[in-house]
């Protein structure tokens, strides 16, 4: 409890050697490091309207509760708040804003999974990768122009909106052995979206852009 600044009285049976045993072993330190990254990124509140500052006011209790629920398998994400971002063609791009609590949970998983997946990507892949940006992609395209005399321009329409959940989970299962990570990724994929005009939209495919875990 000391890591989250809490003290909690517990009644321990003498014949119970592991009173705090949980189905999933998630270090409290990992929750704390995830919180620091989420706090540094700032961001808008989710459906519960709780800001980073408000979450921090009860930080110890919030992080302990999150760790307890994730470790026990009882963690359930809240719906994702939809925000519409204008595009240059007059259309809008929907973004999904998870709650601060859910962003911390997602960051925990990202910190574990991302280093495993990084070596799988092509050297010329720059999207949604740590330490890579659009300027590097432009430089790579410039170098390619000196080597090749052809260009292939391709875009997957509404890719994030139409991702097949089962195919996604099959890919995740190939790289992730932890049951709790697979469990929570599935729950994040299936979290409903709170629409701008009101009401909840259930999802059987796709994932909203904007969350920590989305990439």
């Amino acid at each position: 409890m000391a890591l989250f600044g809490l003290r909690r009285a517990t009644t321990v049976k003498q014949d119970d050697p592991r009173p705090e045993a949980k189905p999933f072993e998630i270090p409290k330190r990992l929750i704390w490091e995830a919180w620091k990254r989420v706090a540094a990124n700032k961001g808008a509140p989710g459906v519960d309207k709780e800001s980073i500052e408000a979450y921090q006011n009860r930080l110890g209790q919030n992080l302990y509760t999150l760790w307890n629920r994730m470790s026990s398998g009882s963690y359930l994400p809240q719906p994702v708040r939809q925000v519409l971002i204008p595009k240059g063609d007059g259309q809008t791009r929907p973004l999904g804003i998870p709650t601060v609590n859910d962003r911390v949970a997602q960051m925990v998983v990202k910190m574990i999974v991302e280093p495993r997946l990084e070596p799988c990507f092509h050297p010329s892949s720059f999207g949604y990768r740590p330490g890579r940006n659009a300027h590097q992609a432009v430089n790579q395209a410039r170098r390619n122009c000196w080597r090749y005399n052809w260009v292939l321009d391709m875009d997957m329409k509404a890719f994030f909106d139409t991702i097949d959940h089962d195919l996604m989970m099959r890919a995740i299962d190939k790289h992730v052995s932890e049951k709790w990570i697979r469990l929570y990724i599935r729950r994040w994929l299936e979290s409903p979206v709170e629409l701008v005009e009101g009401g909840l939209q259930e999802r059987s495919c796709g994932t909203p852009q904007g969350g920590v875990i989305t990439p």
Side-chain angles (χ1 to χ4, degrees):
M1 302 306 103
L3 182 61
F4 297 148
L6 292 174
R7 293 182 180 178
R8 189 167 70 107
T10 57
T11 301
V12 181
K13 296 181 180 179
Q14 293 183 355
D15 60 347
D16 185 0
R18 297 187 63 195
E20 294 291 337
K22 302 288 185 182
F24 306 126
E25 295 185 8
I26 304 174
K28 294 187 181 74
R29 173 62 62 180
L30 193 59
I31 303 287
W32 173 248
E33 294 298 330
W35 153 253
K36 290 195 295 184
R37 294 193 186 189
V38 169
N41 291 337
K42 301 186 185 298
V47 295
D48 60 358
K49 298 180 173 57
E50 185 175 43
S51 65
I52 291 286
E53 293 75 16
Y55 190 90
Q56 193 167 15
N57 288 338
R58 300 179 64 250
L59 184 60
Q61 183 61 49
N62 285 333
L63 294 184
Y64 174 77
T65 300
L66 178 61
W67 168 80
N68 191 45
R69 290 177 178 172
M70 292 186 73
S71 299
S72 66
S74 62
Y75 162 72
L76 293 170
Q78 292 184 266
V80 175
R81 181 170 70 91
Q82 184 186 71
V83 176
L84 300 179
I85 306 299
K87 296 170 60 176
D89 59 1
Q91 302 295 316
T92 59
R93 181 187 304 279
L95 295 183
I97 310 299
T99 64
V100 176
N101 200 58
D102 289 334
R103 296 207 294 270
V104 175
Q106 291 181 9
M107 185 64 76
V108 169
V109 169
K110 178 181 179 181
M111 291 168 62
I112 295 174
V113 174
E114 191 171 65
R116 299 180 191 174
L117 298 183
E118 265 300 292
C120 301
F121 284 90
H122 192 278
S124 292
S125 174
F126 294 92
Y128 303 105
R129 294 181 64 188
R132 291 177 172 245
N133 55 50
H135 295 292
Q136 293 171 327
V138 170
N139 289 335
Q140 181 64 49
R142 183 180 292 113
R143 289 191 294 269
N144 290 345
C145 287
W146 289 105
R147 298 178 58 191
Y148 307 105
N149 59 0
W150 54 269
V151 173
L152 175 62
D153 184 16
M154 181 174 64
D155 182 28
M156 295 184 181
K157 182 178 180 181
F159 175 71
F160 279 95
D161 299 331
T162 57
I163 289 176
D164 185 291
H165 288 175
D166 291 333
L167 288 178
M168 173 67 75
M169 292 308 304
R170 283 171 57 186
I172 289 169
D173 291 346
K174 183 177 180 179
H175 299 279
V176 177
S177 59
E178 293 89 344
K179 292 182 179 180
W180 65 273
I181 293 181
R182 300 201 300 262
L183 172 67
Y184 296 142
I185 289 179
R186 169 68 78 171
R187 289 180 182 177
W188 288 323
L189 285 172
E190 296 175 349
S191 293
V193 176
E194 184 182 78
L195 302 175
V196 172
E197 61 270 22
L200 293 179
Q201 182 183 69
E202 300 294 332
R203 287 189 297 150
S204 59
C205 66
T207 178
Q209 298 181 63
V212 172
I213 202 68
T214 299

